[in-house]
Amino acid sequence: MKLVIKPKKGFGKIEVEIPQELLEKIAELSEHYRVPEEKILEIAISENFKEPKGDLKALENSVEELKKKVGILEKEWAPLRYKAYGVSEDNKLLAIELSGLLAENSQLKRFLRKKIDKNLELRKLIQYYLR
């Protein structure tokens, strides 16, 4: 693959041929760190590497421990999220039913020629749960 580097200003450009195995390594790094391939090339060309501030093996071990803790927390959190979703859907259904009952009530009051009250706070609450 041919890489063309153009300056921000001016006409000069640099063309470099990149071997296929290097491209594969860049793609692997890109996938592993979830960074665009262009960013990896930019870091490699500018030599803007960051050195770890400690033992790399210890840092990797701490990352693995944190991943395990996240997994445990996710297992605890998932059922709660599912229950919260169920409750929110129940609230939506109740809000729809309440809205229908309010409409029916106002129609009956209109039929009986009685004063119709607006219930603005109740309607705001219904709109909140319908979102």
Side-chain angles (χ1 to χ4, degrees), residues 2-7 11-18 45:
K2 188 181 282 190
L3 173 67
V4 179
I5 302 170
K6 297 179 183 178
F11 297 107
K13 66 181 178 181
I14 301 170
E15 293 182 10
V16 181
E17 188 68 34
I18 298 178
I45 291 171

Side-chain angles (χ1 to χ4, degrees), residues 61-75:
N61 289 337
S62 66
V63 166
E64 290 301 319
E65 289 175 19
L66 289 174
K67 283 182 181 179
K68 288 177 184 176
K69 288 180 183 178
V70 166
I72 291 169
L73 289 175
E74 182 63 30
K75 287 178 187 176

Side-chain angles (χ1 to χ4, degrees), residues 117-126:
D117 45 340
K118 298 291 182 187
N119 292 331
L120 293 177
E121 291 179 20
L122 191 56
R123 293 193 186 277
K124 285 180 185 177
L125 191 61
I126 291 171

Side-chain angles (χ1 to χ4, degrees), residues 84-95:
Y85 175 76
V87 168
S88 72
E89 289 300 308
D90 289 344
N91 284 343
K92 275 186 185 178
L93 291 173
L94 289 173

Side-chain angles (χ1 to χ4, degrees), residues 23-39:
L23 283 175
E24 291 171 2
K25 183 67 176 172
I26 289 171
E28 181 183 316
L29 287 172
S30 172
E31 186 176 319
H32 183 266
Y33 292 109
R34 293 187 176 113
V35 177
E37 293 180 8
E38 295 82 19
K39 185 69 175 172

